[in-house]
Amino acid sequence: MFPGSIGREQGCSVFCQRLIAFMFLHMLQFHIPLICKIMAESLLLPLVRGVARKAADALVETVTRMCGLDDDRRMLERHLLAVQCKLANAEDRSETNDYVKSWMKELKSVAYEADDVLDDFQYKALRRQSKIGKSTTRKVLSYITRHSPLLFRFEMSRKLKNVLKKINKLVKEMNTFGLESSARREEQQHPWRQTHSKLDDSKEIFGRDGDKKMVVKLLLDQQHQRKVQVLPIFGMGGIGKTTLAKMVYNDKEIQDHFQLKMWHCVSDNFDVIALVKSIIELATNGSSAMPGSIELLQKKLDEVIGQQRFLLVLDDVWNEDKRIWEDELKSLLCSVGGPGSVIVVTCRNKQVASIMSTVKPHELVFLCEEDSWELFLNKAFGNGIEEQADLVTIGRRIVDKCGGLPLALKPMGGLLSSKQKVQEWKAIEQSSIGDNVGGKYEVMPILKLSYKHLSSEMKQCFAFCAVFPKDYEMEKDRLIQLWMANGFIQEDGTTDLKQKGELIFDEFVWRSFLQDKKVVLKSIVYASVTEYETVVCKMHDLMHDLAKEVTDECESIDELTQQKALLKAARHMQMAETKLEQISMLCKGGTYLRTLLAPSDLWKVYCSNFLSRLLKDFKELLHASASLRALQYPPYSSNICKAINAKHLRYLDISWSNIVRLPDSICMLYNLQTLRLMNCSMLQQLPEDMARLKMLIHLYLFGCVSLKCIFPNLGLLKNLHTLTTFLSVLEMALG
């Protein structure tokens, strides 16, 4: 039955600089775990935090109380909170301690199991609300008291106690590790990235002459400005912001124009006193005894800079706290110097740029195809390697994979400069950029630093994008709905889930985690209105590599088959049409999938002789998946509805289906937030009781040309934000 199963950086000598560089590269090559520590926390922390929040949910509490299981629920909540306090320390220890790493893996599994159990209680309450048609907690409680089946109590008691037993064991083990509480620990210190203003004259720079001319002109144009101006240069990690700043800093016009030039790498240390002291040292060409108070430092700054026209480069700024800049640092730095003084800021985040800018920020974008090729060519064929036609062909494809990112192109070209055989080039082409020495040890640490600055929610949302293949065009609304379905987004009292998701999406675009954002027209095949607008985006290949590196939960059937692994550890998966037949061999012993996506372009298999077998395999997977939160299944499979095991389901997409009538059991998906029925051209009727889906936020009916009416009492769906359909249908529903 559908609902019953509805379940799962100048002061050193050249020698010192070279020694430091050598040591750094040595560390990168042989001690990469140290780099990995830049990630502030594991994705385990937000998971545990979310489950603890659910354990304290009012609906969950009321049902457990009425079932005599509230003591167990409270103990589970306390244990989750205790574990949560020590996870940051556990993350550090896991880098060198395999036992702690294994413990964390087990904790993740138990946390997911606990989430499913708590979700069962939540579902029970929602179901009772729907049945008695009343929404207040007291009335729901009275119903549960009188009518809660003994079978449910027995089953849930067994499940809850089983989870509690497992987490009790893990808590005891945790205490033996001597893990410190993260609440008492100082903020983890990350190695600062230090930069300098010197350009390597022996190295040619490609594709940035236009950017340099533009920025130089902007700086010279400020010569009549009495106040210090701030010009940010922003763009994603590895795009070449520091290189561009160096080009500008060393330009002859700039050298002649400014009387005082200073370069300071800020990185994570945006301490006002430390920064001002450094600037004073730069202005005086050496260190000296300096006062510790801001007032005396201000006087010293006035003394050493005076009315000189200065250029100050603040490289690699991360501060997003507007108060620190506006109230503390801006007044210090912008009150000195003569007319035409400028501060150039390089940053990855557009938000940092917007906080500090007085001049329109300059965005640095990816290199064009030819500039990318010239940069790669200079590195790859710079050691006397002959430009064989085959190597050039392969090299072009590798350059395409680097996507115009200089930090990827340079190490890739450098790596291939030591390879002379076509087979060697092919092998690198076929591998992920993040899998080879040059790419992994030079690119990933830079990108991981951007990842480290994300919030817990954003880390989960970003990692989830690994479920899609590279170069996949992601639809904004659909992506947000999938984040919501998996519980990655939490309401904060003033912002609902949909708004929170949009804020996170926009932040990803600002920070270049997502790119190529644009509005496109999607086709509706069977409707008089043939197109609708939607926002789409893509993820840079290197960002995709990063997403795959920070999570082990997003898998493809190809990866699992290659690893000879089962689906048991995977949580999110998108399928390809030719791979459905491999499902049955991967799901032995059950799965814990939470997202299962079968793209709608699988309609191509409709003309295939394998259709019936593919649907059979898909049904097997559904039966074995008891934790599904999001499901999109193949079109032309109307009879598959009965196979859905969907008590926890929040997202359901059956677009392009040949279904004529939705089954009444759809009305028992009480957790459902999104229902997509796009281009279901044969759909004539929706169940009358769909108004019981009180959690429904999005209902998509584009292309449902045969639909005669929606359902009565549509106004009861207070959470509904999206309803796409034809006016005539709406009139019929509201009339």
Side-chain angles (χ1 to χ4, degrees):
M1 189 134 159
F2 195 70
S5 21
I6 298 179
R8 344 225 141 46
E9 186 219 332
Q10 227 166 6
C12 359
S13 66
V14 173
F15 171 77
C16 289
Q17 293 177 25
R18 290 176 178 173
L19 177 61
I20 291 169
F22 171 78
M23 293 172 65
F24 182 63
L25 290 172
H26 181 82
M27 180 188 76
L28 287 175
Q29 185 168 358
F30 297 107
H31 301 283
I32 196 66
L34 295 175
I35 294 297
C36 295
K37 287 187 178 183
I38 63 174
M39 284 180 276
E41 60 192 25
S42 164
L43 291 171
L44 178 58
L45 179 56
L47 169 62
V48 172
R49 184 183 292 140
V51 180
R53 187 186 295 113
K54 185 174 286 188
D57 180 79
L59 287 178
V60 173
E61 178 187 355
T62 54
V63 177
T64 54
R65 180 151 46 89
M66 291 302 102
C67 291
L69 300 172
D70 205 46
D71 286 344
D72 289 342
R73 179 200 62 81
R74 290 202 304 269
M75 184 176 290
L76 175 62
E77 181 186 358
R78 289 196 301 272
H79 283 342
L80 288 168
L81 291 173
V83 167
Q84 179 182 319
C85 287
K86 299 190 177 185
L87 276 179
N89 186 238
E91 174 72 10
D92 292 343
R93 295 279 294 274
S94 70
E95 296 294 340
T96 56
N97 191 316
D98 289 338
Y99 188 79
V100 177
K101 185 182 296 183
S102 176
W103 176 85
M104 291 178 68
K105 185 176 181 179
E106 183 65 25
L107 176 61
K108 178 181 283 189
S109 178
V110 175
Y112 275 123
E113 188 177 342
D115 188 52
D116 282 348
V117 172
L118 295 170
D119 216 47
D120 283 344
F121 287 116
Q122 201 171 58
Y123 178 84
K124 183 74 170 179
L126 291 171
R127 184 175 185 179
R128 296 305 183 189
Q129 280 184 358
S130 176
K131 281 195 171 184
I132 63 177
K134 300 171 183 177
S135 60
T136 64
T137 299
R138 181 171 298 180
K139 292 174 181 176
V140 173
L141 283 177
S142 65
Y143 188 92
I144 293 173
T145 304
R146 298 193 307 270
H147 302 286
S148 180
L150 289 174
L151 182 61
F152 175 79
R153 295 187 185 190
F154 177 79
E155 176 79 7
M156 295 312 298
S157 175
R158 181 184 63 80
K159 289 182 177 181
L160 186 55
K161 289 182 184 300
N162 185 45
V163 166
L164 198 53
K165 180 181 178 181
K166 293 179 181 179
I167 203 166
N168 276 336
K169 179 176 179 292
L170 290 169
V171 169
K172 288 178 181 178
E173 291 183 19
M174 175 187 75
N175 292 329
T176 67
F177 301 151
L179 297 178
E180 301 171 13
S181 172
S182 59
R184 298 194 304 268
R185 296 171 71 228
E186 294 182 2
E187 184 179 351
Q188 184 179 358
Q189 293 299 309
H190 304 285
W192 294 353
R193 173 192 175 217
Q194 286 295 317
T195 64
H196 58 82
S197 61
K198 185 68 177 176
L199 268 174
D200 188 344
D201 296 330
S202 66
K203 293 183 179 179
E204 190 175 354
I205 299 170
F206 299 89
R208 296 306 184 199
D209 288 341
D211 293 286
K212 174 191 169 183
K213 289 178 182 177
M214 190 178 300
V215 174
V216 167
K217 184 179 185 303
L218 281 169
L219 298 184
L220 298 178
D221 285 349
Q222 311 307 315
Q223 60 182 316
H224 300 301
Q225 294 287 340
R226 298 186 62 82
K227 292 184 178 181
V228 178
Q229 301 299 303
V230 182
L231 168 64
I233 300 172
F234 73 95
M236 76 175 287
I239 201 74
K241 301 179 296 295
T242 299
T243 298
L244 175 60
K246 287 183 179 184
M247 293 172 69
V248 172
Y249 190 91
N250 289 278
D251 179 79
K252 188 177 186 308
E253 282 190 277
I254 295 296
Q255 293 284 317
D256 294 340
H257 181 74
F258 291 98
Q259 299 164 300
L260 175 64
K261 294 166 289 297
M262 300 167 286
W263 180 288
H264 178 74
C265 182
V266 180
S267 195
D268 272 350
N269 186 25
F270 205 72
D271 179 77
V272 174
I273 291 178
L275 203 156
V276 173
K277 283 183 176 181
S278 177
I279 293 171
I280 292 172
E281 289 181 351
L282 290 168
T284 56
N285 289 316
S287 60
S288 60
M290 278 185 282
S293 73
I294 287 288
E295 186 66 24
L296 292 175
L297 283 172
Q298 171 70 74
K299 292 179 180 180
K300 186 71 174 178
L301 196 63
D302 287 339
E303 176 188 326
V304 299
I305 293 181
Q307 289 300 302
Q308 297 180 88
R309 180 191 297 136
F310 72 84
L311 168 65
L312 170 63
V313 175
L314 296 178
D315 189 35
D316 198 27
V317 177
W318 290 88
N319 174 62
E320 298 179 17
D321 190 335
K322 188 174 183 178
R323 180 191 58 81
I324 295 179
W325 170 249
E326 291 283 353
D327 299 345
E328 299 181 34
L329 199 53
K330 183 179 180 180
S331 58
L332 290 169
L333 299 183
C334 296
S335 63
V336 295
S341 295
V342 184
I343 301 173
V344 172
V345 175
T346 72
C347 54
R348 303 187 191 190
N349 187 350
K350 193 173 181 179
Q351 185 174 344
V352 176
S354 66
I355 289 173
M356 301 181 70
S357 67
T358 62
V359 180
K360 182 181 178 181
H362 180 80
E363 181 176 8
L364 201 56
V365 298
F366 298 106
L367 295 177
C368 68
E369 184 178 346
E370 280 310 305
D371 286 331
S372 297
W373 174 247
E374 289 298 322
L375 174 56
F376 175 83
L377 192 67
N378 179 264
K379 300 290 290 186
F381 296 103
N383 288 341
I385 295 180
E386 184 183 348
E387 293 184 37
Q388 305 173 40
D390 289 344
L391 295 186
V392 169
T393 301
I394 299 169
R396 287 279 186 182
R397 294 197 293 263
I398 291 174
V399 166
D400 188 54
K401 287 183 68 175
C402 292
L405 189 67
L407 191 66
L409 289 158
K410 287 187 287 187
M412 286 298 291
L415 175 65
L416 289 165
S417 68
S418 64
K419 315 288 182 184
Q420 299 187 24
K421 297 179 181 179
V422 172
Q423 299 95 308
E424 294 174 317
W425 282 51
K426 282 185 176 179
I428 292 175
E429 178 199 355
Q430 292 166 5
S431 68
S432 168
I433 293 172
D435 287 341
N436 64 74
V437 173
K440 184 173 184 178
Y441 297 139
E442 294 193 43
V443 180
M444 281 302 156
I446 302 297
L447 299 186
K448 281 180 180 176
L449 190 55
S450 294
Y451 173 82
K452 186 268 285 191
H453 282 263
L454 298 178
S455 67
S456 293
E457 279 184 323
M458 292 178 71
K459 285 176 180 174
Q460 286 184 299
C461 294
F462 170 72
F464 176 81
C465 296
V467 73
F468 303 109
K470 287 187 176 182
D471 206 39
Y472 185 86
E473 193 170 73
M474 295 175 281
E475 188 177 337
K476 172 185 175 180
D477 290 338
R478 179 169 174 259
L479 182 60
I480 292 172
Q481 290 154 20
L482 290 170
W483 291 341
M484 289 165 50
N486 281 282
F488 300 152
I489 306 173
Q490 302 293 331
E491 292 183 7
D492 57 13
T494 57
T495 309
D496 63 25
L497 292 176
K498 180 176 180 295
Q499 292 173 317
K500 193 79 170 286
E502 290 180 345
L503 289 172
I504 290 174
F505 180 89
D506 291 342
E507 191 75 9
F508 280 151
V509 174
W510 270 47
R511 293 172 182 251
S512 300
F513 281 85
L514 298 175
Q515 63 183 53
D516 298 342
K517 176 185 173 184
K518 59 185 177 182
V519 177
V520 299
L521 294 175
K522 293 278 186 176
S523 298
I524 307 170
V525 176
Y526 302 113
S528 55
V529 179
T530 58
E531 294 175 324
Y532 68 95
E533 283 189 352
T534 189
V535 176
V536 298
C537 66
K538 289 185 178 182
M539 179 176 276
H540 191 281
D541 281 0
L542 287 169
M543 281 297 181
H544 189 277
D545 288 340
L546 175 60
K548 290 290 288 185
E549 187 162 329
V550 300
T551 183
D552 58 356
E553 297 185 344
C554 299
E555 300 282 3
S556 68
I557 294 180
D558 277 338
E559 291 167 332
L560 292 170
T561 303
Q562 189 175 18
Q563 299 164 8
K564 297 183 179 179
L566 299 178
L567 269 172
K568 198 167 185 178
R571 302 289 174 179
H572 314 287
M573 186 172 72
Q574 175 161 291
M575 301 163 63
E577 60 185 74
T578 58
K579 305 300 178 184
L580 283 167
E581 69 274 11
Q582 302 176 26
I583 291 176
S584 56
M585 59 183 281
L586 295 174
C587 58
K588 294 176 182 177
T591 77
Y592 297 96
L593 281 173
R594 292 191 159 214
T595 305
L596 179 58
L597 306 174
S600 56
D601 59 5
L602 287 184
W603 65 269
K604 298 170 186 176
V605 305
Y606 182 57
C607 301
S608 170
N609 295 328
F610 301 106
L611 179 60
S612 59
R613 172 62 193 272
L614 296 179
L615 295 180
K616 178 179 180 295
D617 288 334
F618 197 81
K619 285 183 181 181
E620 287 183 18
L621 182 55
L622 289 179
H623 281 303
S625 303
S627 301
L628 281 175
R629 264 63 175 173
L631 173 64
Q632 177 187 13
Y633 58 67
Y636 300 102
S637 50
S638 58
N639 64 339
I640 211 168
C641 278
K642 298 175 183 178
I644 299 176
N645 191 353
K647 183 185 297 185
H648 308 288
L649 207 63
R650 268 87 170 160
Y651 176 101
L652 178 61
D653 188 347
I654 53 177
S655 299
W656 295 87
S657 171
N658 58 0
I659 193 168
V660 176
R661 186 185 186 279
L662 282 180
D664 291 334
S665 53
I666 203 87
C667 302
M668 297 184 72
L669 302 178
Y670 301 116
N671 279 308
L672 197 65
Q673 299 168 342
T674 302
L675 178 59
R676 287 176 170 257
L677 302 168
M678 313 273 277
N679 280 311
C680 292
S681 60
M682 300 174 66
L683 181 63
Q684 299 177 6
Q685 187 177 352
L686 300 177
E688 291 186 3
D689 289 337
M690 279 189 65
R692 293 166 63 181
L693 302 180
K694 301 296 177 61
M695 307 300 287
L696 195 64
I697 302 173
H698 307 285
L699 177 58
Y700 291 86
L701 298 167
F702 281 133
C704 296
V705 293
S706 301
L707 189 62
K708 305 303 178 185
C709 63
I710 302 184
F711 49 86
N713 301 316
L714 177 63
L716 294 177
L717 299 182
K718 304 298 184 182
N719 289 316
L720 197 64
H721 280 66
T722 304
L723 177 61
T724 63
T725 186
F726 301 108
L727 183 60
S728 58
V729 177
L730 268 174
E731 289 172 344
M732 294 176 70
L734 299 174

